[in-house]
Amino acid sequence: MELIIRVIVKIIYVIAVPVLRVIYPCKMIWEDKKSTKEVLRSSCLIYSNHTGYSDGLFMTSLLTSYNVYIFVGRDWYEKKSLNWLFRNLRYIPIDRQQMDTSWIYKGMETLEKGRSIYFFPEGHTSKDGRMLDFKPGFLMLAKQSGAPLIPICIDNKMKPFHLTRIIIGKPQRPDLKEEGRPSAVLKKHAEACKRSVVALKRTYGNPRYATADMDEL
């Protein structure tokens, strides 16, 4: 029965991807297309701002040819109406309410298989368009694996039949093992990651969707 469900989900997903592209049209802007695609074909960690609940499904479908996995809150993952979908696609549950390290082991296994993982470091969607602070937890996996990072900016909240710019930045290889208190080092680099996304928005985004946090650089 589980195998049948998995096959059905795969078929639905294959049909849904082109439909999503029509409903949510996007323009992909690459800061360095050649080098970024090379990194995407191997193991890397992708991070971006979080504009709405559909971001996860849309972004993984947009990058489907790169076998990208994505973390999703366990509270969402275990919803009866969605679990069958998450369980059979490239989703990894993470407990946002309690101390949970299992996601690191699952993340490492995924990277070791040559896959990439997508993060929303804000943890929640922004209500006013301004980016929330990036939580440094995702960098623990980057530090342990040594995988490069790729920043992405979703220029505006996705709306049906409204063009959204998806701005993909150059690969990053920060020194996460530099001297200093580990938590402070990760926090510093998390802030730098947020600035990278803001910089992409300021440089390549539509001025119509400019927000106050673009002045933080």
Side-chain angles (χ1 to χ4, degrees):
M1 185 65 180
E2 188 69 26
L3 179 60
I4 294 174
I5 294 175
R6 185 178 294 274
V7 171
I8 292 173
V9 169
K10 295 292 185 183
I11 292 172
I12 293 174
Y13 185 74
V14 168
I15 295 172
V17 168
V19 173
L20 281 172
R21 300 281 178 84
V22 173
I23 296 175
Y24 297 99
C26 73
K27 177 181 180 181
M28 295 183 71
I29 300 172
W30 299 78
E31 194 172 28
D32 186 339
K33 191 172 185 178
K34 183 178 179 181
S35 66
T36 305
K37 283 197 168 187
E38 287 177 359
V39 171
L40 281 169
R41 293 188 187 101
S42 59
S43 297
C44 67
L45 298 174
I46 307 162
Y47 67 89
S48 78
N49 55 319
H50 199 4
T51 65
Y53 295 125
S54 61
D55 288 354
L57 179 60
F58 180 82
M59 293 306 298
T60 50
S61 69
L62 193 64
L63 301 170
T64 189
S65 61
Y66 299 104
N67 294 317
V68 175
Y69 283 70
I70 188 167
F71 279 101
V72 62
R74 187 173 293 279
D75 50 328
W76 279 88
Y77 187 89
E78 293 181 348
K79 286 181 182 292
K80 290 183 179 180
S81 59
L82 297 172
N83 181 254
W84 64 276
L85 177 67
F86 291 141
R87 210 175 57 245
N88 292 288
L89 292 178
R90 301 187 186 110
Y91 287 85
I92 303 172
I94 181 172
D95 195 327
R96 298 180 295 185
Q97 312 301 325
Q98 304 178 37
M99 286 295 293
D100 174 29
T101 57
S102 64
W103 66 273
I104 296 180
Y105 299 110
K106 292 175 183 176
M108 288 296 295
E109 287 177 2
T110 301
L111 293 170
E112 287 168 1
K113 292 177 182 177
R115 310 304 190 196
S116 296
I117 301 176
Y118 199 113
F119 283 91
F120 293 109
E122 292 170 277
H124 299 277
T125 57
S126 171
K127 291 186 171 65
D128 60 4
R130 292 185 54 146
M131 292 181 211
L132 305 174
D133 289 338
F134 280 19
K135 296 177 173 60
F138 77 107
L139 292 177
M140 292 171 60
L141 186 56
K143 179 179 179 179
Q144 189 166 328
S145 66
L149 304 171
I150 293 179
I152 291 181
C153 175
I154 303 172
D155 191 32
N156 56 285
K157 186 173 183 178
M158 296 175 190
K159 297 179 180 179
F161 308 110
H162 282 71
L163 183 69
T164 298
R165 296 186 191 190
I166 306 297
I167 308 159
I168 304 175
K170 294 182 289 190
Q172 302 170 332
R173 293 175 174 82
D175 180 12
L176 299 172
K177 296 183 180 180
E178 65 180 67
E179 291 186 10
R181 189 157 48 92
S183 59
V185 170
L186 294 184
K187 182 178 179 181
K188 181 185 79 171
H189 284 286
E191 291 169 353
C193 287
K194 178 183 176 181
R195 290 197 298 271
S196 294
V197 176
V198 173
L200 291 174
K201 185 177 183 68
R202 187 175 71 174
T203 305
Y204 303 99
N206 188 335
R208 176 183 176 186
Y209 301 112
T211 55
D213 53 0
M214 293 172 63
D215 297 327
E216 293 181 3
L217 294 179

Coordinates of all heavy atoms in Angstrom, one line a residue, residues 35-36 39-40 43-47 111 117 119 121 138-143 145-152 168-176 186 189-190 192-194 196:
S35 N 28.8 28.9 -12.1 CA 29.4 28.4 -10.8 C 28.3 27.9 -9.9 O 28.5 26.9 -9.2 CB 30.3 29.4 -10.1 OG 29.5 30.5 -9.7
T36 N 27.2 28.6 -9.8 CA 26.1 28.2 -8.9 C 25.5 26.9 -9.4 O 25.2 26.0 -8.5 CB 25.0 29.3 -8.9 OG1 25.7 30.5 -8.5 CG2 24.0 28.9 -7.8
V39 N 27.6 24.0 -8.3 CA 27.5 23.6 -6.9 C 26.1 23.0 -6.6 O 26.1 22.0 -5.8 CB 27.6 24.9 -6.0 CG1 27.3 24.6 -4.5 CG2 29.1 25.5 -6.1
L40 N 25.1 23.4 -7.3 CA 23.8 22.8 -7.1 C 23.7 21.3 -7.5 O 22.9 20.6 -7.0 CB 22.7 23.6 -7.9 CG 22.2 24.9 -7.2 CD1 21.4 25.7 -8.3 CD2 21.4 24.6 -6.0
S43 N 26.5 18.5 -3.4 CA 25.9 18.7 -2.1 C 26.1 20.2 -1.6 O 27.2 20.7 -1.6 CB 26.5 17.8 -1.0 OG 26.2 16.5 -1.3
C44 N 25.0 20.9 -1.3 CA 25.1 22.2 -0.8 C 23.9 22.6 0.1 O 22.9 21.8 0.1 CB 25.2 23.2 -2.0 SG 23.7 23.3 -3.0
L45 N 24.0 23.7 0.8 CA 22.9 24.1 1.6 C 22.3 25.4 1.0 O 23.1 26.4 0.7 CB 23.3 24.4 3.0 CG 23.9 23.1 3.8 CD1 24.4 23.5 5.1 CD2 22.8 22.1 3.9
I46 N 21.1 25.5 0.7 CA 20.4 26.6 0.1 C 19.6 27.3 1.2 O 18.9 26.6 1.9 CB 19.5 26.2 -1.1 CG1 20.3 25.3 -2.1 CG2 18.9 27.4 -1.8 CD1 19.4 24.5 -3.0
Y47 N 19.6 28.6 1.2 CA 18.8 29.3 2.2 C 18.1 30.6 1.5 O 18.7 31.1 0.6 CB 19.6 29.7 3.4 CG 20.7 30.8 3.2 CD1 20.4 32.1 3.3 CD2 22.0 30.4 2.9 CE1 21.4 33.1 3.0 CE2 22.9 31.4 2.6 CZ 22.6 32.7 2.7 OH 23.6 33.7 2.5
L111 N 23.1 14.9 2.6 CA 24.3 15.5 1.9 C 25.3 14.5 1.5 O 25.9 14.6 0.4 CB 25.0 16.6 2.9 CG 24.1 17.8 3.2 CD1 24.8 18.6 4.4 CD2 24.0 18.7 2.0
I117 N 20.1 20.6 0.4 CA 19.0 20.9 1.4 C 18.7 22.4 1.4 O 19.6 23.2 1.4 CB 19.4 20.4 2.8 CG1 19.8 19.0 2.8 CG2 18.3 20.7 3.8 CD1 20.3 18.5 4.1
F119 N 16.8 25.6 3.3 CA 16.4 26.1 4.6 C 15.6 27.5 4.5 O 16.0 28.3 3.6 CB 17.6 26.4 5.5 CG 18.2 25.1 6.0 CD1 19.2 24.5 5.4 CD2 17.8 24.7 7.3 CE1 19.8 23.4 5.9 CE2 18.4 23.5 7.8 CZ 19.4 22.9 7.2
P121 N 15.8 30.1 7.1 CA 16.3 30.4 8.4 C 15.5 31.3 9.3 O 15.7 31.4 10.5 CB 17.7 31.1 8.1 CG 18.0 30.7 6.7 CD 16.7 30.5 6.1
F138 N 20.7 26.4 11.2 CA 21.0 25.8 9.9 C 22.5 25.8 9.6 O 23.0 24.9 8.9 CB 20.2 26.5 8.7 CG 20.8 27.8 8.3 CD1 21.5 27.9 7.1 CD2 20.7 28.9 9.0 CE1 22.0 29.1 6.6 CE2 21.2 30.2 8.6 CZ 21.8 30.2 7.4
L139 N 23.2 26.7 10.2 CA 24.7 26.7 10.0 C 25.4 25.7 10.8 O 26.6 25.4 10.5 CB 25.2 28.1 10.4 CG 24.8 29.3 9.5 CD1 25.3 30.6 10.0 CD2 25.2 29.0 8.0
M140 N 24.8 25.0 11.7 CA 25.4 23.9 12.4 C 25.6 22.8 11.4 O 26.7 22.1 11.5 CB 24.5 23.4 13.6 CG 24.3 24.4 14.7 SD 23.1 23.9 15.9 CE 23.7 22.3 16.4
L141 N 24.7 22.6 10.5 CA 24.8 21.5 9.5 C 25.9 21.9 8.5 O 26.7 21.1 8.0 CB 23.5 21.3 8.8 CG 23.4 20.1 7.8 CD1 23.8 18.8 8.5 CD2 22.0 20.0 7.2
A142 N 25.9 23.2 8.2 CA 27.0 23.7 7.2 C 28.4 23.5 7.9 O 29.3 23.1 7.2 CB 26.7 25.2 6.9
K143 N 28.5 23.8 9.1 CA 29.8 23.7 9.8 C 30.2 22.2 9.9 O 31.4 21.9 9.7 CB 29.6 24.2 11.3 CG 30.9 24.1 12.1 CD 30.7 24.8 13.5 CE 32.0 24.6 14.3 NZ 31.8 25.3 15.7
S145 N 29.2 19.7 8.0 CA 29.4 19.0 6.7 C 30.5 19.7 5.8 O 31.0 19.1 4.9 CB 28.1 19.0 5.9 OG 27.7 20.4 5.6
G146 N 30.7 21.0 6.0 CA 31.6 21.7 5.1 C 31.0 22.1 3.8 O 31.7 22.5 2.9
A147 N 29.7 21.8 3.7 CA 29.0 22.1 2.4 C 28.9 23.6 2.1 O 28.7 24.4 3.0 CB 27.6 21.5 2.4
P148 N 29.0 24.0 0.9 CA 28.9 25.4 0.5 C 27.5 25.9 0.7 O 26.5 25.1 0.7 CB 29.4 25.5 -0.9 CG 29.1 24.1 -1.5 CD 29.4 23.2 -0.3
L149 N 27.3 27.2 0.8 CA 25.9 27.8 0.9 C 25.6 28.6 -0.4 O 26.4 29.1 -1.0 CB 25.9 28.8 2.1 CG 26.4 28.3 3.5 CD1 26.5 29.4 4.4 CD2 25.4 27.3 4.0
I150 N 24.3 28.6 -0.7 CA 23.8 29.4 -1.8 C 22.6 30.2 -1.3 O 21.6 29.6 -0.9 CB 23.3 28.5 -3.0 CG1 24.5 27.7 -3.6 CG2 22.6 29.3 -4.0 CD1 24.2 26.8 -4.7
P151 N 22.7 31.5 -1.3 CA 21.6 32.4 -0.9 C 20.6 32.6 -2.0 O 21.0 32.7 -3.2 CB 22.3 33.7 -0.6 CG 23.5 33.7 -1.5 CD 23.9 32.3 -1.7
I152 N 19.4 32.7 -1.7 CA 18.3 33.0 -2.7 C 17.4 34.0 -2.1 O 17.1 34.0 -0.9 CB 17.5 31.7 -3.0 CG1 18.3 30.7 -3.8 CG2 16.2 32.1 -3.8 CD1 17.6 29.5 -4.2
I168 N 19.1 34.2 -7.4 CA 20.0 33.2 -6.9 C 21.4 33.7 -6.8 O 22.0 34.1 -7.8 CB 19.9 31.9 -7.8 CG1 18.5 31.4 -7.8 CG2 20.8 30.8 -7.2 CD1 18.2 30.3 -8.8
G169 N 22.0 33.8 -5.6 CA 23.3 34.4 -5.4 C 24.4 33.4 -5.7 O 24.2 32.2 -5.9
K170 N 25.6 33.9 -5.6 CA 26.8 33.1 -5.8 C 27.1 32.2 -4.6 O 26.7 32.5 -3.5 CB 28.0 34.0 -6.0 CG 28.0 34.8 -7.3 CD 29.2 35.7 -7.4 CE 29.3 36.8 -6.4 NZ 30.4 37.8 -6.7
P171 N 27.7 31.0 -4.8 CA 28.1 30.1 -3.7 C 28.9 30.8 -2.7 O 29.8 31.7 -3.0 CB 28.8 29.0 -4.4 CG 28.4 29.0 -5.8 CD 28.1 30.5 -6.1
Q172 N 28.7 30.5 -1.4 CA 29.5 31.0 -0.3 C 30.2 29.9 0.5 O 29.6 28.8 0.6 CB 28.5 31.8 0.6 CG 27.8 32.9 0.0 CD 26.7 33.5 0.9 OE1 26.2 32.8 1.8 NE2 26.4 34.7 0.7
R173 N 31.3 30.2 1.0 CA 32.1 29.2 1.8 C 32.6 29.9 3.0 O 33.8 30.2 3.1 CB 33.2 28.6 1.0 CG 32.7 27.7 -0.2 CD 33.8 27.1 -1.0 NE 33.3 26.2 -2.0 CZ 32.7 26.5 -3.2 NH1 32.6 27.8 -3.5 NH2 32.3 25.6 -4.0
P174 N 31.8 30.3 4.0 CA 32.2 31.0 5.2 C 33.0 30.1 6.1 O 32.9 28.9 6.1 CB 30.9 31.4 5.8 CG 29.9 30.4 5.4 CD 30.3 30.1 4.0
D175 N 33.9 30.8 6.8 CA 34.7 30.0 7.8 C 34.0 29.9 9.1 O 34.1 30.7 10.0 CB 36.1 30.8 8.0 CG 37.0 30.1 9.0 OD1 36.7 28.9 9.3 OD2 38.0 30.7 9.5
L176 N 33.2 28.8 9.2 CA 32.3 28.6 10.4 C 33.1 28.0 11.6 O 32.6 27.9 12.6 CB 31.2 27.7 10.0 CG 30.2 28.3 8.9 CD1 29.2 27.2 8.5 CD2 29.5 29.5 9.4
L186 N 28.3 31.4 14.9 CA 27.2 31.0 14.1 C 26.2 32.2 14.0 O 25.7 32.4 12.9 CB 26.5 29.8 14.6 CG 27.4 28.5 14.6 CD1 26.5 27.3 15.0 CD2 27.9 28.2 13.2
H189 N 27.5 34.7 11.5 CA 27.4 34.3 10.1 C 25.9 34.3 9.7 O 25.6 34.5 8.5 CB 28.1 33.0 9.9 CG 29.6 33.1 9.9 ND1 30.3 33.6 8.8 CD2 30.6 32.8 10.8 CE1 31.6 33.6 9.0 NE2 31.8 33.1 10.2
A190 N 25.0 34.0 10.6 CA 23.6 34.0 10.3 C 23.2 35.4 9.9 O 22.4 35.6 9.0 CB 22.8 33.5 11.5
A192 N 25.2 37.6 8.6 CA 25.8 37.9 7.3 C 24.9 37.2 6.2 O 24.8 37.8 5.1 CB 27.2 37.3 7.3
C193 N 24.4 36.0 6.5 CA 23.5 35.4 5.5 C 22.3 36.2 5.2 O 21.9 36.4 4.1 CB 23.1 34.0 6.0 SG 24.4 32.8 6.0
K194 N 21.7 36.8 6.3 CA 20.5 37.6 6.1 C 20.9 38.8 5.2 O 20.2 39.2 4.3 CB 20.0 38.1 7.4 CG 18.8 39.1 7.2 CD 18.3 39.6 8.6 CE 17.1 40.6 8.4 NZ 16.6 41.1 9.6
S196 N 23.2 39.0 3.0 CA 23.3 38.5 1.6 C 22.0 38.5 0.9 O 21.9 38.9 -0.3 CB 24.0 37.1 1.6 OG 25.3 37.1 2.1

